Short mmCIF file of all heavy atoms in Angstrom, two decimals:
data_model
loop_
_atom_site.label_atom_id
_atom_site.label_comp_id
_atom_site.label_asym_id
_atom_site.label_seq_id
_atom_site.Cartn_x
_atom_site.Cartn_y
_atom_site.Cartn_z
N MET A 1 -239.68 -28.12 -63.99
CA MET A 1 -239.50 -26.72 -64.21
C MET A 1 -239.07 -26.08 -62.90
O MET A 1 -239.53 -26.46 -61.83
CB MET A 1 -240.81 -26.09 -64.71
CG MET A 1 -240.76 -24.60 -64.77
SD MET A 1 -242.20 -23.89 -65.55
CE MET A 1 -241.55 -23.69 -67.17
N GLU A 2 -238.21 -25.12 -63.02
CA GLU A 2 -237.76 -24.35 -61.86
C GLU A 2 -237.85 -22.88 -62.23
O GLU A 2 -237.42 -22.47 -63.30
CB GLU A 2 -236.31 -24.71 -61.53
CG GLU A 2 -235.74 -23.95 -60.38
CD GLU A 2 -234.29 -24.33 -60.10
OE1 GLU A 2 -233.87 -25.45 -60.46
OE2 GLU A 2 -233.57 -23.49 -59.53
N ILE A 3 -238.45 -22.11 -61.34
CA ILE A 3 -238.55 -20.67 -61.54
C ILE A 3 -237.82 -19.99 -60.40
O ILE A 3 -238.13 -20.22 -59.24
CB ILE A 3 -240.02 -20.20 -61.59
CG1 ILE A 3 -240.77 -20.90 -62.72
CG2 ILE A 3 -240.10 -18.69 -61.73
CD1 ILE A 3 -242.25 -20.64 -62.74
N ARG A 4 -236.86 -19.17 -60.76
CA ARG A 4 -236.11 -18.41 -59.76
C ARG A 4 -236.47 -16.95 -59.90
O ARG A 4 -236.64 -16.45 -61.02
CB ARG A 4 -234.61 -18.59 -59.95
CG ARG A 4 -234.15 -20.01 -59.75
CD ARG A 4 -232.67 -20.12 -59.91
NE ARG A 4 -232.26 -21.51 -59.87
CZ ARG A 4 -231.01 -21.90 -59.75
NH1 ARG A 4 -230.04 -21.02 -59.68
NH2 ARG A 4 -230.74 -23.19 -59.71
N GLY A 5 -236.59 -16.27 -58.77
CA GLY A 5 -236.92 -14.86 -58.83
C GLY A 5 -237.25 -14.32 -57.46
O GLY A 5 -236.94 -14.93 -56.44
N THR A 6 -237.90 -13.19 -57.46
CA THR A 6 -238.29 -12.53 -56.23
C THR A 6 -239.76 -12.82 -55.96
O THR A 6 -240.59 -12.65 -56.84
CB THR A 6 -238.08 -11.01 -56.36
OG1 THR A 6 -236.72 -10.76 -56.71
CG2 THR A 6 -238.40 -10.29 -55.07
N ALA A 7 -240.04 -13.26 -54.75
CA ALA A 7 -241.42 -13.57 -54.38
C ALA A 7 -241.92 -12.55 -53.38
O ALA A 7 -241.19 -12.10 -52.50
CB ALA A 7 -241.50 -14.96 -53.77
N THR A 8 -243.18 -12.17 -53.55
CA THR A 8 -243.85 -11.31 -52.58
C THR A 8 -245.08 -12.06 -52.08
O THR A 8 -245.76 -12.73 -52.85
CB THR A 8 -244.27 -9.96 -53.17
OG1 THR A 8 -245.10 -10.18 -54.29
CG2 THR A 8 -243.06 -9.14 -53.60
N VAL A 9 -245.33 -11.94 -50.80
CA VAL A 9 -246.49 -12.59 -50.19
C VAL A 9 -247.43 -11.48 -49.70
O VAL A 9 -247.00 -10.57 -48.99
CB VAL A 9 -246.07 -13.48 -49.01
CG1 VAL A 9 -247.27 -14.14 -48.36
CG2 VAL A 9 -245.06 -14.53 -49.46
N ALA A 10 -248.68 -11.58 -50.13
CA ALA A 10 -249.67 -10.58 -49.72
C ALA A 10 -250.96 -11.29 -49.34
O ALA A 10 -251.32 -12.31 -49.93
CB ALA A 10 -249.93 -9.59 -50.85
N GLU A 11 -251.64 -10.73 -48.37
CA GLU A 11 -252.92 -11.31 -47.95
C GLU A 11 -253.96 -11.09 -49.05
O GLU A 11 -254.06 -10.01 -49.62
CB GLU A 11 -253.39 -10.65 -46.65
CG GLU A 11 -254.67 -11.26 -46.11
CD GLU A 11 -255.08 -10.67 -44.78
OE1 GLU A 11 -254.23 -10.14 -44.06
OE2 GLU A 11 -256.28 -10.75 -44.47
N ASP A 12 -254.69 -12.14 -49.35
CA ASP A 12 -255.79 -12.07 -50.31
C ASP A 12 -257.05 -11.77 -49.50
O ASP A 12 -257.94 -12.60 -49.34
CB ASP A 12 -255.91 -13.41 -51.07
CG ASP A 12 -256.95 -13.39 -52.16
OD1 ASP A 12 -257.38 -12.30 -52.57
OD2 ASP A 12 -257.34 -14.48 -52.61
N ALA A 13 -257.11 -10.53 -49.01
CA ALA A 13 -258.12 -10.14 -48.02
C ALA A 13 -259.55 -10.39 -48.48
O ALA A 13 -260.37 -10.90 -47.72
CB ALA A 13 -257.93 -8.68 -47.65
N ASP A 14 -259.87 -10.05 -49.69
CA ASP A 14 -261.24 -10.24 -50.15
C ASP A 14 -261.41 -11.53 -50.95
O ASP A 14 -262.43 -11.74 -51.59
CB ASP A 14 -261.70 -9.04 -50.97
CG ASP A 14 -260.80 -8.76 -52.17
OD1 ASP A 14 -259.81 -9.50 -52.35
OD2 ASP A 14 -261.10 -7.83 -52.93
N HIS A 15 -260.38 -12.39 -50.91
CA HIS A 15 -260.36 -13.69 -51.59
C HIS A 15 -260.51 -13.56 -53.11
O HIS A 15 -260.90 -14.51 -53.78
CB HIS A 15 -261.44 -14.63 -51.04
CG HIS A 15 -261.28 -14.92 -49.58
ND1 HIS A 15 -262.33 -15.22 -48.77
CD2 HIS A 15 -260.19 -14.97 -48.78
CE1 HIS A 15 -261.91 -15.42 -47.53
NE2 HIS A 15 -260.60 -15.27 -47.53
N ALA A 16 -260.18 -12.39 -53.66
CA ALA A 16 -260.33 -12.15 -55.09
C ALA A 16 -259.46 -13.09 -55.93
O ALA A 16 -259.90 -13.58 -56.97
CB ALA A 16 -260.01 -10.69 -55.42
N VAL A 17 -258.24 -13.32 -55.49
CA VAL A 17 -257.35 -14.21 -56.25
C VAL A 17 -257.89 -15.64 -56.22
O VAL A 17 -257.96 -16.31 -57.26
CB VAL A 17 -255.90 -14.15 -55.70
CG1 VAL A 17 -255.01 -15.15 -56.40
CG2 VAL A 17 -255.33 -12.75 -55.83
N ALA A 18 -258.30 -16.11 -55.06
CA ALA A 18 -258.83 -17.47 -54.94
C ALA A 18 -260.08 -17.65 -55.78
O ALA A 18 -260.25 -18.67 -56.45
CB ALA A 18 -259.13 -17.79 -53.47
N VAL A 19 -260.95 -16.65 -55.77
CA VAL A 19 -262.19 -16.73 -56.56
C VAL A 19 -261.86 -16.76 -58.05
O VAL A 19 -262.41 -17.57 -58.81
CB VAL A 19 -263.13 -15.54 -56.24
CG1 VAL A 19 -264.28 -15.47 -57.21
CG2 VAL A 19 -263.64 -15.66 -54.81
N ARG A 20 -260.96 -15.89 -58.50
CA ARG A 20 -260.59 -15.83 -59.91
C ARG A 20 -260.01 -17.16 -60.40
O ARG A 20 -260.38 -17.67 -61.45
CB ARG A 20 -259.61 -14.70 -60.17
CG ARG A 20 -259.36 -14.48 -61.66
CD ARG A 20 -258.43 -13.32 -61.93
NE ARG A 20 -257.07 -13.72 -61.61
CZ ARG A 20 -256.25 -13.05 -60.82
NH1 ARG A 20 -256.62 -11.92 -60.27
NH2 ARG A 20 -255.03 -13.49 -60.56
N ILE A 21 -259.14 -17.76 -59.62
CA ILE A 21 -258.53 -19.04 -60.00
C ILE A 21 -259.58 -20.15 -60.01
O ILE A 21 -259.65 -20.94 -60.94
CB ILE A 21 -257.36 -19.38 -59.07
CG1 ILE A 21 -256.21 -18.40 -59.31
CG2 ILE A 21 -256.88 -20.82 -59.30
CD1 ILE A 21 -255.10 -18.49 -58.30
N ALA A 22 -260.42 -20.21 -58.98
CA ALA A 22 -261.45 -21.25 -58.90
C ALA A 22 -262.40 -21.15 -60.09
O ALA A 22 -262.77 -22.16 -60.69
CB ALA A 22 -262.22 -21.15 -57.59
N GLU A 23 -262.81 -19.93 -60.43
CA GLU A 23 -263.75 -19.77 -61.54
C GLU A 23 -263.10 -20.06 -62.89
O GLU A 23 -263.77 -20.49 -63.81
CB GLU A 23 -264.39 -18.39 -61.50
CG GLU A 23 -265.33 -18.29 -60.31
CD GLU A 23 -266.18 -17.04 -60.28
OE1 GLU A 23 -265.93 -16.11 -61.08
OE2 GLU A 23 -267.10 -17.00 -59.46
N GLU A 24 -261.80 -19.85 -62.98
CA GLU A 24 -261.11 -20.19 -64.23
C GLU A 24 -261.12 -21.70 -64.46
O GLU A 24 -261.29 -22.17 -65.58
CB GLU A 24 -259.67 -19.68 -64.20
CG GLU A 24 -258.93 -19.92 -65.50
CD GLU A 24 -257.57 -19.27 -65.54
OE1 GLU A 24 -257.39 -18.21 -64.91
OE2 GLU A 24 -256.68 -19.82 -66.21
N TYR A 25 -260.93 -22.47 -63.40
CA TYR A 25 -260.87 -23.92 -63.53
C TYR A 25 -262.22 -24.61 -63.37
O TYR A 25 -262.45 -25.66 -63.97
CB TYR A 25 -259.87 -24.50 -62.53
CG TYR A 25 -258.44 -24.20 -62.92
CD1 TYR A 25 -257.77 -23.12 -62.39
CD2 TYR A 25 -257.79 -24.98 -63.87
CE1 TYR A 25 -256.47 -22.83 -62.77
CE2 TYR A 25 -256.50 -24.70 -64.26
CZ TYR A 25 -255.84 -23.63 -63.71
OH TYR A 25 -254.56 -23.34 -64.10
N LEU A 26 -263.12 -24.03 -62.57
CA LEU A 26 -264.39 -24.68 -62.28
C LEU A 26 -265.58 -24.03 -62.99
O LEU A 26 -266.67 -24.58 -62.96
CB LEU A 26 -264.65 -24.68 -60.77
CG LEU A 26 -263.59 -25.36 -59.91
CD1 LEU A 26 -263.89 -25.16 -58.44
CD2 LEU A 26 -263.49 -26.84 -60.26
N GLY A 27 -265.37 -22.86 -63.57
CA GLY A 27 -266.45 -22.17 -64.25
C GLY A 27 -267.14 -21.17 -63.34
O GLY A 27 -266.80 -21.03 -62.16
N PRO A 28 -268.13 -20.44 -63.89
CA PRO A 28 -268.84 -19.44 -63.10
C PRO A 28 -269.42 -20.04 -61.82
O PRO A 28 -269.99 -21.12 -61.83
CB PRO A 28 -269.95 -18.98 -64.05
CG PRO A 28 -269.43 -19.29 -65.42
CD PRO A 28 -268.61 -20.54 -65.26
N GLY A 29 -269.25 -19.33 -60.74
CA GLY A 29 -269.75 -19.80 -59.44
C GLY A 29 -268.79 -20.73 -58.74
O GLY A 29 -269.02 -21.11 -57.59
N GLY A 30 -267.70 -21.10 -59.39
CA GLY A 30 -266.74 -22.03 -58.79
C GLY A 30 -266.01 -21.48 -57.59
O GLY A 30 -265.44 -22.22 -56.80
N GLY A 31 -266.01 -20.17 -57.43
CA GLY A 31 -265.33 -19.55 -56.29
C GLY A 31 -266.24 -19.20 -55.15
O GLY A 31 -265.84 -18.50 -54.21
N LYS A 32 -267.48 -19.70 -55.19
CA LYS A 32 -268.47 -19.36 -54.17
C LYS A 32 -267.99 -19.68 -52.75
O LYS A 32 -268.19 -18.90 -51.83
CB LYS A 32 -269.77 -20.09 -54.46
CG LYS A 32 -270.89 -19.76 -53.51
CD LYS A 32 -272.16 -20.51 -53.87
CE LYS A 32 -273.24 -20.22 -52.85
NZ LYS A 32 -274.42 -21.02 -53.07
N GLU A 33 -267.34 -20.83 -52.58
CA GLU A 33 -266.90 -21.21 -51.23
C GLU A 33 -265.88 -20.23 -50.67
O GLU A 33 -265.82 -20.02 -49.47
CB GLU A 33 -266.33 -22.63 -51.22
CG GLU A 33 -265.02 -22.78 -51.97
CD GLU A 33 -264.47 -24.20 -51.94
OE1 GLU A 33 -263.79 -24.53 -50.96
OE2 GLU A 33 -264.75 -24.93 -52.89
N TYR A 34 -265.09 -19.61 -51.55
CA TYR A 34 -264.10 -18.63 -51.08
C TYR A 34 -264.78 -17.32 -50.71
O TYR A 34 -264.38 -16.66 -49.75
CB TYR A 34 -263.03 -18.40 -52.14
CG TYR A 34 -262.27 -19.67 -52.44
CD1 TYR A 34 -262.44 -20.34 -53.65
CD2 TYR A 34 -261.39 -20.21 -51.51
CE1 TYR A 34 -261.76 -21.51 -53.92
CE2 TYR A 34 -260.71 -21.38 -51.77
CZ TYR A 34 -260.90 -22.03 -52.97
OH TYR A 34 -260.23 -23.19 -53.24
N LEU A 35 -265.81 -16.93 -51.46
CA LEU A 35 -266.55 -15.71 -51.13
C LEU A 35 -267.28 -15.85 -49.80
O LEU A 35 -267.45 -14.87 -49.07
CB LEU A 35 -267.55 -15.38 -52.24
CG LEU A 35 -266.97 -14.86 -53.54
CD1 LEU A 35 -268.06 -14.74 -54.59
CD2 LEU A 35 -266.28 -13.54 -53.32
N GLU A 36 -267.71 -17.06 -49.48
CA GLU A 36 -268.46 -17.31 -48.25
C GLU A 36 -267.58 -17.67 -47.06
O GLU A 36 -268.09 -17.91 -45.97
CB GLU A 36 -269.48 -18.42 -48.50
CG GLU A 36 -270.53 -18.04 -49.53
CD GLU A 36 -271.45 -19.18 -49.90
OE1 GLU A 36 -271.17 -20.35 -49.54
OE2 GLU A 36 -272.47 -18.91 -50.58
N ALA A 37 -266.27 -17.71 -47.26
CA ALA A 37 -265.36 -18.09 -46.18
C ALA A 37 -265.39 -17.03 -45.08
O ALA A 37 -265.53 -15.84 -45.35
CB ALA A 37 -263.93 -18.22 -46.72
N PRO A 38 -265.27 -17.47 -43.83
CA PRO A 38 -265.27 -16.51 -42.72
C PRO A 38 -264.04 -15.60 -42.78
O PRO A 38 -262.99 -16.02 -43.28
CB PRO A 38 -265.25 -17.40 -41.47
CG PRO A 38 -264.78 -18.72 -41.93
CD PRO A 38 -265.13 -18.84 -43.38
N PRO A 39 -264.15 -14.38 -42.28
CA PRO A 39 -263.04 -13.43 -42.36
C PRO A 39 -261.78 -13.89 -41.64
O PRO A 39 -260.67 -13.49 -42.00
CB PRO A 39 -263.59 -12.15 -41.72
CG PRO A 39 -264.94 -12.44 -41.23
CD PRO A 39 -265.33 -13.82 -41.65
N GLU A 40 -261.92 -14.76 -40.64
CA GLU A 40 -260.73 -15.24 -39.92
C GLU A 40 -259.95 -16.28 -40.72
O GLU A 40 -258.85 -16.66 -40.36
CB GLU A 40 -261.08 -15.77 -38.53
CG GLU A 40 -262.02 -16.94 -38.51
CD GLU A 40 -263.49 -16.54 -38.48
OE1 GLU A 40 -263.83 -15.36 -38.54
OE2 GLU A 40 -264.33 -17.46 -38.41
N GLU A 41 -260.51 -16.75 -41.83
CA GLU A 41 -259.81 -17.68 -42.71
C GLU A 41 -258.94 -16.86 -43.65
O GLU A 41 -259.38 -16.31 -44.65
CB GLU A 41 -260.80 -18.52 -43.51
CG GLU A 41 -260.14 -19.61 -44.33
CD GLU A 41 -261.15 -20.47 -45.04
OE1 GLU A 41 -261.99 -21.09 -44.36
OE2 GLU A 41 -261.09 -20.51 -46.28
N VAL A 42 -257.67 -16.76 -43.30
CA VAL A 42 -256.74 -15.91 -44.04
C VAL A 42 -256.10 -16.70 -45.17
O VAL A 42 -255.63 -17.81 -44.99
CB VAL A 42 -255.64 -15.35 -43.10
CG1 VAL A 42 -254.64 -14.52 -43.87
CG2 VAL A 42 -256.27 -14.56 -41.98
N ARG A 43 -256.10 -16.11 -46.35
CA ARG A 43 -255.45 -16.70 -47.52
C ARG A 43 -254.39 -15.73 -47.97
O ARG A 43 -254.53 -14.51 -47.81
CB ARG A 43 -256.46 -16.94 -48.63
CG ARG A 43 -257.58 -17.88 -48.22
CD ARG A 43 -258.44 -18.27 -49.39
NE ARG A 43 -257.74 -19.12 -50.33
CZ ARG A 43 -257.57 -20.45 -50.19
NH1 ARG A 43 -258.04 -21.04 -49.12
NH2 ARG A 43 -256.93 -21.15 -51.10
N VAL A 44 -253.33 -16.24 -48.54
CA VAL A 44 -252.28 -15.39 -49.07
C VAL A 44 -252.05 -15.72 -50.54
O VAL A 44 -252.37 -16.82 -51.00
CB VAL A 44 -250.96 -15.53 -48.29
CG1 VAL A 44 -251.11 -15.08 -46.86
CG2 VAL A 44 -250.42 -16.94 -48.36
N ALA A 45 -251.53 -14.75 -51.26
CA ALA A 45 -251.15 -14.94 -52.66
C ALA A 45 -249.65 -14.70 -52.75
O ALA A 45 -249.14 -13.71 -52.22
CB ALA A 45 -251.89 -13.96 -53.55
N VAL A 46 -248.95 -15.62 -53.40
CA VAL A 46 -247.52 -15.48 -53.62
C VAL A 46 -247.33 -15.14 -55.09
O VAL A 46 -247.75 -15.88 -55.97
CB VAL A 46 -246.76 -16.77 -53.26
CG1 VAL A 46 -245.27 -16.61 -53.52
CG2 VAL A 46 -247.02 -17.17 -51.82
N ARG A 47 -246.71 -14.01 -55.34
CA ARG A 47 -246.45 -13.58 -56.71
C ARG A 47 -244.95 -13.63 -56.93
O ARG A 47 -244.18 -13.09 -56.14
CB ARG A 47 -246.98 -12.18 -56.95
CG ARG A 47 -248.49 -12.10 -56.80
CD ARG A 47 -249.00 -10.70 -57.07
NE ARG A 47 -250.39 -10.56 -56.69
CZ ARG A 47 -251.41 -10.87 -57.48
NH1 ARG A 47 -251.20 -11.33 -58.69
NH2 ARG A 47 -252.65 -10.71 -57.05
N ILE A 48 -244.55 -14.28 -58.01
CA ILE A 48 -243.14 -14.44 -58.32
C ILE A 48 -242.80 -13.61 -59.55
O ILE A 48 -243.46 -13.73 -60.59
CB ILE A 48 -242.79 -15.91 -58.59
CG1 ILE A 48 -243.13 -16.77 -57.37
CG2 ILE A 48 -241.32 -16.06 -58.97
CD1 ILE A 48 -243.03 -18.25 -57.62
N THR A 49 -241.78 -12.77 -59.42
CA THR A 49 -241.23 -12.05 -60.56
C THR A 49 -240.01 -12.84 -61.01
O THR A 49 -238.98 -12.83 -60.33
CB THR A 49 -240.83 -10.61 -60.18
OG1 THR A 49 -241.98 -9.95 -59.65
CG2 THR A 49 -240.30 -9.85 -61.38
N PRO A 50 -240.13 -13.59 -62.12
CA PRO A 50 -239.04 -14.48 -62.52
C PRO A 50 -237.80 -13.72 -62.99
O PRO A 50 -237.91 -12.70 -63.66
CB PRO A 50 -239.63 -15.29 -63.67
CG PRO A 50 -241.03 -14.85 -63.86
CD PRO A 50 -241.28 -13.69 -62.99
N THR A 51 -236.66 -14.25 -62.60
CA THR A 51 -235.39 -13.77 -63.13
C THR A 51 -234.73 -14.86 -63.96
O THR A 51 -233.87 -14.57 -64.78
CB THR A 51 -234.43 -13.33 -62.00
OG1 THR A 51 -234.26 -14.41 -61.09
CG2 THR A 51 -234.98 -12.13 -61.26
N LYS A 52 -235.15 -16.11 -63.73
CA LYS A 52 -234.60 -17.23 -64.48
C LYS A 52 -235.61 -18.37 -64.47
O LYS A 52 -236.18 -18.68 -63.44
CB LYS A 52 -233.28 -17.69 -63.86
CG LYS A 52 -232.53 -18.71 -64.68
CD LYS A 52 -231.15 -18.95 -64.08
CE LYS A 52 -230.34 -19.78 -65.04
NZ LYS A 52 -228.96 -19.96 -64.56
N ILE A 53 -235.81 -18.98 -65.64
CA ILE A 53 -236.71 -20.11 -65.75
C ILE A 53 -235.94 -21.26 -66.38
O ILE A 53 -235.32 -21.10 -67.43
CB ILE A 53 -237.94 -19.77 -66.61
CG1 ILE A 53 -238.72 -18.62 -65.98
CG2 ILE A 53 -238.83 -20.98 -66.79
CD1 ILE A 53 -239.86 -18.09 -66.80
N LEU A 54 -235.94 -22.40 -65.70
CA LEU A 54 -235.22 -23.57 -66.16
C LEU A 54 -236.21 -24.72 -66.34
O LEU A 54 -237.16 -24.84 -65.58
CB LEU A 54 -234.16 -24.00 -65.14
CG LEU A 54 -233.16 -22.94 -64.73
CD1 LEU A 54 -232.38 -23.40 -63.51
CD2 LEU A 54 -232.22 -22.65 -65.88
N GLY A 55 -235.98 -25.56 -67.32
CA GLY A 55 -236.86 -26.70 -67.48
C GLY A 55 -236.47 -27.54 -68.68
O GLY A 55 -235.73 -27.10 -69.56
N ASN A 56 -236.95 -28.74 -68.68
CA ASN A 56 -236.74 -29.65 -69.80
C ASN A 56 -238.11 -30.07 -70.34
O ASN A 56 -239.03 -30.30 -69.59
CB ASN A 56 -235.99 -30.92 -69.34
CG ASN A 56 -234.58 -30.61 -68.94
OD1 ASN A 56 -233.93 -29.79 -69.54
ND2 ASN A 56 -234.10 -31.29 -67.91
N ALA A 57 -238.18 -30.19 -71.63
CA ALA A 57 -239.41 -30.64 -72.25
C ALA A 57 -239.07 -31.82 -73.15
O ALA A 57 -238.10 -31.77 -73.92
CB ALA A 57 -240.06 -29.54 -73.06
N THR A 58 -239.84 -32.85 -73.03
CA THR A 58 -239.66 -34.00 -73.92
C THR A 58 -240.97 -34.24 -74.63
O THR A 58 -242.05 -34.10 -74.05
CB THR A 58 -239.24 -35.26 -73.15
OG1 THR A 58 -240.22 -35.54 -72.17
CG2 THR A 58 -237.89 -35.06 -72.48
N LYS A 59 -240.87 -34.59 -75.87
CA LYS A 59 -242.07 -34.84 -76.65
C LYS A 59 -242.38 -36.33 -76.59
O LYS A 59 -241.53 -37.15 -76.85
CB LYS A 59 -241.86 -34.40 -78.09
CG LYS A 59 -243.10 -34.52 -78.94
CD LYS A 59 -242.85 -33.97 -80.33
CE LYS A 59 -244.12 -34.08 -81.14
NZ LYS A 59 -243.95 -33.51 -82.47
N THR A 60 -243.61 -36.63 -76.18
CA THR A 60 -244.05 -38.03 -76.17
C THR A 60 -245.16 -38.18 -77.19
O THR A 60 -246.08 -37.36 -77.24
CB THR A 60 -244.55 -38.43 -74.77
OG1 THR A 60 -245.61 -37.58 -74.39
CG2 THR A 60 -243.42 -38.35 -73.74
N ALA A 61 -245.03 -39.18 -77.99
CA ALA A 61 -246.09 -39.38 -78.98
C ALA A 61 -246.33 -40.85 -79.21
O ALA A 61 -245.57 -41.71 -79.04
CB ALA A 61 -245.72 -38.71 -80.29
#
C-alpha cells in the first residue's frame, strides 16, 4: 500500500497519542510506560491527509 498526501509533524507533548494507540492494542493500562516517560523524551505524531491511496489486494484461501 502507498499513501500519498500532506504530512504534518507535531510533538505529542502529553504522550496522548502514544497512550491511545498502546491502549488500543494492549488494553487498559497498556500506555502506562508512555505516561511515566520523562519530559525530555520527546515523541512526535505524524498525521497524513491522503490525496491518493494505491494498493493491491490478493485473496488467499
Side-chain angles (χ1 to χ4, degrees):
M1 171 172 263
E2 178 181 336
I3 300 173
R4 296 181 187 193
T6 304
T8 57
V9 179
E11 184 176 336
D12 184 17
D14 58 359
H15 300 151
V17 175
V19 170
R20 188 177 75 232
I21 292 170
E23 290 189 350
E24 184 173 329
Y25 287 96
L26 302 174
K32 183 179 177 186
E33 68 180 275
Y34 299 108
L35 287 173
E36 296 173 348
E40 61 272 3
E41 186 176 300
V42 178
R43 300 189 69 80
V44 297
V46 179
R47 297 181 190 274
I48 301 171
T49 303
T51 55
K52 189 172 190 176
I53 299 174
L54 305 168
N56 292 323
T58 58
K59 185 175 181 178
T60 59

